Amino acid sequence: MSDQKTVTLTMDQLQALAKSFGEEFRKKPEPTESEQAQIENDLRMRRDRGEQELQKIANKKLVQSICTHTRIENGTTRTVHIYGSNNLDDYMICQECNAFIHAGGPPADPVMAKEFENHIFDTRLFNLHYKLSQARTTF
Ligand SMILES: [Zn+2]
């Protein structure tokens, strides 16, 4: 025990040493080759799934943009009238393209506006299909 050496450190050196130990302990172990392959595979799958979802949304928008929401053979509407609830006015749903058609403009609240960003806000279109849907029930 008598040959034990003593080291004198300044407070700054001690803090730097403690910090580097801390960083070393916080480091995650390097992933193995198979773990790395799994990580890259997961990332690729997640990216592919995201791209597929974006493609699905784009396709749905395209279908909705070319849908007349009416039956070509007799001009009747393919929409169904949905009664509004507490904070939502009435709207129409097209059974062909699943478009939500509202009268008036999109909600002013930014959160609600984001939620309704794929809905159609067109009073003339809403009124037309509302009228057609009411006419259908009288036959
Ligand atoms: Zn439609």
Side-chain angles (χ1 to χ4, degrees), residues 63-70 78-79 93-99 101 120 129:
V63 167
Q64 289 177 347
S65 73
I66 58 178
C67 182
T68 60
H69 318 298
T70 54
R78 289 185 182 276
T79 63
I93 293 180
C94 177
Q95 294 179 301
E96 179 69 16
C97 70
N98 298 317
I101 304 166
I120 297 168
H129 286 283

Side-chain angles (χ1 to χ4, degrees), residues 110-122:
V111 176
M112 289 290 282
K114 177 81 179 149
E115 203 172 303
F116 286 76
E117 71 181 345
N118 293 321
H119 292 209
I120 297 168
F121 290 90
D122 185 331

Side-chain angles (χ1 to χ4, degrees), residues 2-138:
S2 60
D3 63 343
Q4 195 174 21
K5 290 181 181 165
T6 28
V7 177
T8 309
L9 295 172
T10 66
M11 193 50 107
D12 285 348
Q13 288 171 322
L14 183 63
Q15 284 174 342
L17 189 63
K19 189 177 174 216
S20 77
F21 279 144
E23 284 167 1
E24 197 58 40
F25 282 123
R26 268 191 300 262
K27 267 188 200 164
K28 289 182 183 170
E30 290 293 314
T32 64
E33 206 168 293
S34 73
E35 286 172 337
Q36 187 61 39
Q38 184 64 44
I39 291 168
E40 284 169 16
N41 195 36
D42 288 350
L43 281 174
R44 193 172 29 253
M45 280 175 62
R46 220 174 299 158
R47 197 169 33 241
D48 288 352
R49 223 172 295 140
E51 282 170 12
Q52 285 172 4
E53 284 305 310
L54 289 176
Q55 191 58 53
K56 240 190 260 178
I57 292 169
N59 287 346
K60 189 177 176 185
K61 276 186 178 174
L62 179 65
V63 167
Q64 289 177 347
S65 73
I66 58 178
C67 182
T68 60
H69 318 298
T70 54
R71 292 177 188 85
I72 291 171
E73 61 273 18
N74 58 15
T76 57
T77 184
R78 289 185 182 276
T79 63
V80 175
H81 177 224
I82 306 294
Y83 290 94
S85 57
N86 299 340
N87 54 358
L88 194 63
D89 293 331
D90 292 11
Y91 56 98
M92 309 299 291
I93 293 180
C94 177
Q95 294 179 301
E96 179 69 16
C97 70
N98 298 317
F100 289 66
I101 304 166
H102 302 264
D109 176 55
V111 176
M112 289 290 282
K114 177 81 179 149
E115 203 172 303
F116 286 76
E117 71 181 345
N118 293 321
H119 292 209
I120 297 168
F121 290 90
D122 185 331
T123 304
R124 190 199 60 78
L125 194 62
F126 173 87
N127 288 342
L128 173 69
H129 286 283
Y130 177 79
K131 199 167 186 178
L132 287 172
S133 74
Q134 298 306 301
R136 186 179 55 198
T137 59
T138 60

